[in-house]
């Protein structure tokens, strides 16, 4: 990924837009010795690194390494490459540091393990994760990462159920954070535009802007092929003086939440959240989020379709580390203070790019166990919170950086961003997996005597049915068959279920298993036959 040019999206901690002014250190001409020269550069490089200006720091570290002919700067160089999301180079320099001094600091052991995982060297990564875990026996997250890498085949189980391909809208720049919109998608790009003056960031790259690409469907093809037209600028009704960030449509695509740089405070600009509405075909009346604060940034937003709940990624103080995901609800005419989603979602790493579909929260993480780099996860709503975060597995997640998944309303299609082909690009995703919740219809019948092959099947009316989650051993829905034995049940999420059937006539019960297909092609109509002598009393 283009590291600092995408700082508003990917940095472990968002830095103010004072970074937009690239400070190229000029070496003093009056330095008298190589020693004083290196000492001065080292101080400046360390300052750059502390300010998260990793490209500038790296340039000085590598220059000093070449001049000193030692491995003194191998670790700083490795760290800079790690935070620049260039794991292959990080592995090279961490390996050099290990060769010269096998006793790496604890944090560098962990960074080396993460870098090895990100380049697919899983067995070596396990060794260094284990070395770190031996020094930090209470770190449960590292234990989970070790287990996941040892059992990584589980992350490939559903690979045949996804089709993923690059869209034709990508450029040589960073193209990221696509969300479905009308007949196409809106996305972020820092591609160069044809204009006399183009605003640039600290790496002399253009600011991110929003673009819209319309889909064209070839109805003559047997597989309904979809292509996307050349992108055009998308005007979200907000000044484009600075960076634009991720967006989220809601309210039937008549409203929009978006990230953009806020007003300057003490010479700094942070990323803030705004709302805008579509009026007479134009996005107007943008309004800032009441909890915007120049001291921290919001990096991505996801709105619930009804506009009553929003999720944001932020580096606000008090989190678990890096970027965390927070939730705010619209109550009594105002937004509540964003609340951290807790340790089942957030880690000491970065959790970013939330999106919501039904009761599912999708997000990207560098902290949860995965295949390396940033992976994409899913968590189901559980009461007021969320359940366990589950890696979506290959090919949605890879050992590269995969992030910003956004799905259509039926969950069958969507988009994600990834640098798996060397640069940040938008990918179209088609999922053959069933999305939740969904409804099954059924017919309930009863049969006399299980031993009789010729037993007559009769309609089983007015029975009580309870859908039970086997893993949680809890009832998730109750319903009743009608006079004709017909019933329907809504399956809230994927799990293993059983159905308890209670006869209205004598209150006796029987339990049957429910086998659900993981794919959309699975049958949604069920016929359940209850054997009469399964009840203690005759029906």
């Amino acid at each position: 990924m283009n590291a600092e040019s995408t700082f508003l999206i990917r940095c472990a901690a968002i830095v103010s837009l004072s970074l937009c002014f690239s400070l190229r250190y000029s070496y003093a001409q009056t330095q008298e010795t190589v020693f004083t020269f290196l000492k001065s550069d080292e101080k400046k490089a360390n300052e750059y690194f502390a300010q998260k200006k990793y490209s500038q720091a790296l340039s000085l570290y590598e220059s000093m390494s070449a001049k000193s002919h030692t491995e003194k700067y191998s670790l700083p160089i490795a760290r800079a490459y790690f935070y620049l999301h260039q794991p292959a180079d990080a592995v090279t320099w961490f390996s050099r540091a290990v060769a010269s001094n096998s006793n790496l600091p604890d944090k560098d052991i962990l960074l080396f393990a993460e870098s090895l995982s990100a380049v697919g060297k899983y067995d070596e990564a396990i060794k260094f994760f284990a070395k770190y875990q031996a020094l930090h026996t209470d770190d449960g997250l590292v234990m989970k990462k070790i287990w996941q890498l040892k059992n990584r085949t589980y992350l490939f189980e559903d690979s045949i159920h996804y089709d993923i391909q690059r869209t034709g809208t990508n450029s040589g720049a960073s193209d990221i954070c696509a969300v479905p919109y009308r007949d196409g998608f809106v996305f972020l790009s820092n591609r160069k535009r044809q204009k006399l003056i183009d605003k640039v960031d600290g790496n002399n790259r253009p600011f991110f802007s929003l673009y819209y690409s319309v889909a064209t469907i070839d109805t003559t093809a047997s597989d309904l092929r979809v292509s996307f037209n050349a992108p055009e600028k998308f005007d979200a009704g907000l000044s484009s003086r600075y960076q634009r960030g991720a967006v989220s449509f809601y309210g039937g695509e008549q409203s929009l939440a978006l990230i953009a740089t806020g007003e300057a405070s003490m010479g700094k600009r942070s990323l803030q959240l705004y709302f805008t509405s579509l009026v007479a075909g134009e996005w107007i009346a943008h309004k800032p989020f009441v909890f915007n604060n120049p001291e921290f940034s919001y990096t991505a937003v996801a709105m619930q379709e009804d506009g009553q709940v929003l999720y944001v990624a932020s580096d606000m103080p008090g989190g678990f580390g890096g970027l965390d995901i927070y939730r705010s609800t619209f109550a009594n005419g105002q937004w509540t203070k964003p609340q951290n989603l807790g340790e089942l979602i957030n880690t000491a790493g970065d959790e970013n790019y939330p999106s919501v579909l039904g009761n599912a929260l999708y997000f990207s993480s560098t902290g949860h166990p995965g295949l390396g780099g940033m992976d994409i996860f899913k968590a189901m709503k559980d009461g007021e919170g969320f359940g366990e975060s589950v890696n979506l597995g290959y090919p949605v997640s890879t050992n590269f950086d995969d992030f910003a998944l956004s799905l259509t309303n039926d969950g069958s299609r969507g988009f994600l961003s990834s640098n798996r082909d060397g640069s940040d690009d938008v990918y179209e995703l088609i999922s053959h997996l069933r999305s939740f919740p969904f409804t099954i219809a059924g017919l309930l019948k009863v049969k006399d005597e299980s031993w009789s092959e010729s037993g007559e099947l009769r309609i089983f009316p007015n029975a009580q049915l309870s859908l039970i989650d086997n893993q949680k051993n809890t009832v998730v829905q109750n319903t009743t068959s009608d006079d004709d034995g017909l019933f329907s049940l809504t399956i809230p999420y994927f799990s293993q279920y059983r159905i308890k059937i209670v006869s209205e006539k004598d209150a006796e019960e029987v339990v049957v298993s429910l086998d659900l297909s993981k794919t959309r092609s699975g049958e949604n109509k069920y016929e359940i036959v209850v054997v009469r002598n399964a009840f203690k009393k005759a029906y």
Side-chain angles (χ1 to χ4, degrees):
M1 193 167 195
N2 295 330
E4 287 180 286
S5 68
T6 57
F7 71 95
L8 70 133
I9 306 297
R10 309 257 318 268
C11 289
I14 305 300
V15 187
S16 71
L17 283 188
S18 59
L19 292 182
C20 293
F21 303 98
S22 180
L23 302 178
R24 185 66 65 178
Y25 184 70
S26 177
Y27 304 134
Q29 301 297 317
T30 59
Q31 293 170 329
E32 298 178 355
T33 66
V34 172
F35 175 78
T36 55
F37 180 85
L38 291 177
K39 186 176 181 179
S40 176
D41 275 4
E42 183 173 351
K43 181 180 178 181
K44 193 62 181 178
N46 292 339
E47 290 175 355
Y48 280 143
F49 192 93
Q51 297 168 4
K52 295 181 171 56
K53 300 179 180 180
Y54 300 119
S55 290
Q56 292 96 320
L58 178 62
S59 177
L60 289 177
Y61 285 137
E62 288 189 322
S63 175
M64 290 185 293
S65 179
K67 291 183 173 95
S68 67
H69 303 290
T70 69
E71 296 298 334
K72 176 181 178 181
Y73 302 103
S74 294
L75 272 182
I77 291 172
R79 294 167 188 155
Y81 275 123
F82 176 86
Y83 290 117
L84 285 169
H85 301 277
Q86 298 181 43
D89 292 309
V91 166
T92 297
W93 285 92
F94 274 126
S95 298
R96 290 178 60 167
V98 169
S100 63
N101 181 7
S102 59
N103 296 318
L104 294 181
D106 294 6
K107 183 177 180 180
D108 291 310
I109 295 174
L110 185 59
L111 297 185
F112 191 16
E114 297 283 7
S115 300
L116 288 166
S117 181
V119 297
K121 295 184 177 181
Y122 297 125
D123 291 336
E124 292 182 57
I126 290 171
K127 293 178 183 178
F128 280 90
F129 275 128
K131 188 173 182 179
Y132 179 86
Q133 201 273 325
L135 299 170
H136 300 270
T137 55
D138 59 341
D139 194 326
L141 187 58
V142 170
M143 292 178 63
K144 290 181 180 180
K145 289 193 174 190
I146 294 172
W147 184 92
Q148 184 69 89
L149 290 181
K150 287 183 177 179
N151 298 275
R152 55 188 177 272
T153 54
Y154 292 129
L155 296 179
F156 291 83
E157 286 183 340
D158 293 330
S159 60
I160 62 173
H161 299 308
Y162 293 102
D163 295 326
I164 296 179
Q165 61 181 359
R166 295 172 74 251
T167 66
T169 59
N170 294 299
S171 65
S174 287
D175 303 293
I176 54 177
C177 295
V179 295
Y181 178 66
R182 294 184 176 177
D183 296 325
F185 64 94
V186 170
F187 68 105
L188 281 170
S189 179
N190 66 348
R191 62 188 64 192
K192 289 186 177 181
R193 292 172 287 170
Q194 298 299 320
K195 52 191 303 186
L196 294 178
I197 301 176
D198 207 355
K199 299 179 178 65
V200 296
D201 64 12
N203 286 322
N204 201 35
R205 299 188 182 100
F207 285 153
F208 277 92
S209 296
L210 290 167
Y211 292 83
Y212 173 50
S213 178
V214 180
T216 299
I217 301 177
D218 182 1
T219 57
T220 64
S222 59
D223 56 353
L224 294 179
R225 297 174 187 172
V226 178
S227 59
F228 296 96
N229 296 342
E232 298 180 355
K233 283 294 299 297
F234 180 79
D235 181 12
L238 198 64
S239 171
S240 59
R241 289 181 300 164
Y242 299 105
Q243 297 274 22
R244 294 283 184 86
V247 302
S248 179
F249 294 94
Y250 62 102
E253 298 184 340
Q254 298 300 299
S255 297
L256 176 65
L258 75 160
I259 303 295
T261 50
E263 296 299 322
S265 175
M266 302 295 291
K268 298 180 180 180
R269 292 185 183 274
S270 55
L271 298 164
Q272 303 293 287
L273 173 61
Y274 298 89
F275 306 97
T276 182
S277 299
L278 191 61
V279 179
E282 295 184 1
W283 294 99
I284 60 174
H286 62 271
K287 185 169 68 172
F289 183 45
V290 65
F291 292 102
N292 282 350
N293 189 322
E295 297 302 314
F296 57 81
S297 286
Y298 298 105
T299 61
V301 59
M303 290 290 296
Q304 195 168 280
E305 172 59 24
D306 61 7
Q308 299 301 298
V309 181
L310 66 82
Y311 298 87
V312 287
S314 177
D315 65 336
M316 69 176 67
F320 288 82
L323 296 171
D324 281 6
I325 297 177
Y326 296 77
R327 175 173 55 195
S328 175
T329 58
F330 196 72
N332 300 320
Q334 60 186 0
W335 288 103
T336 61
K337 183 179 179 180
Q339 297 295 314
N340 193 294
L341 291 188
E343 61 184 357
L344 289 180
I345 301 295
N346 295 310
T347 70
D350 288 333
E351 279 67 49
N352 204 351
Y353 310 107
S355 67
V356 288
L357 181 62
N359 290 324
L361 171 70
Y362 297 90
F363 64 97
S364 305
S365 174
T366 61
H368 287 285
L371 291 170
M374 185 174 285
D375 280 8
I376 297 176
F377 294 81
K378 174 183 178 180
M380 298 302 300
K381 194 171 182 180
D382 186 6
E384 293 299 315
F386 285 90
E388 182 182 0
S389 298
V390 178
N391 194 309
L392 292 190
Y394 185 86
V396 178
S397 296
T398 67
N399 59 295
F400 296 94
D401 287 331
D402 310 291
F403 56 100
L405 174 68
S406 183
L407 299 172
T408 54
N409 290 334
D410 65 358
S412 64
R413 308 175 76 92
F415 303 93
L416 63 87
S417 303
S418 178
N419 64 353
R420 63 187 65 184
D421 287 330
S423 62
D424 291 335
D425 289 324
V426 172
Y427 289 76
E428 182 187 14
L429 174 147
I430 299 175
S431 173
H432 304 290
L433 291 172
R434 190 189 299 278
S435 59
F436 293 85
F438 76 97
T439 300
I440 64 172
L443 175 62
L444 192 60
K445 294 183 177 181
V446 64
K447 176 183 178 182
D448 293 324
E449 303 171 347
S450 61
W451 52 266
S452 174
E453 294 183 2
S454 59
E456 179 184 359
L457 290 176
R458 295 181 288 109
I459 296 299
F460 194 166
N462 308 315
Q464 298 175 13
L465 293 86
S466 298
L467 180 67
I468 303 172
D469 183 332
N470 289 342
Q471 296 179 348
K472 297 181 180 179
N473 198 32
T474 57
V475 176
V476 296
Q477 191 188 4
N478 291 300
T479 190
T480 304
S481 64
D482 64 15
D483 292 340
D484 298 318
L486 298 174
F487 69 91
S488 64
L489 284 168
T490 299
I491 312 299
Y493 49 82
F494 183 77
S495 185
Q496 294 179 338
Y497 293 97
R498 64 185 186 274
I499 300 176
K500 182 175 73 173
I501 304 169
V502 180
S503 166
E504 182 188 57
K505 186 174 183 180
D506 51 26
E508 296 298 334
E509 67 181 52
V510 66
V511 176
V512 297
S513 63
L514 178 63
D515 294 324
L516 297 174
S517 170
K518 294 180 69 174
T519 61
R520 295 178 182 276
S521 59
E523 180 61 57
N524 285 350
K525 294 182 179 180
Y526 291 78
E527 182 175 292
I528 298 177
V529 177
V530 177
V531 179
R532 179 181 176 182
N533 63 6
F535 290 100
K536 294 179 181 178
K537 297 180 181 179
Y539 172 68

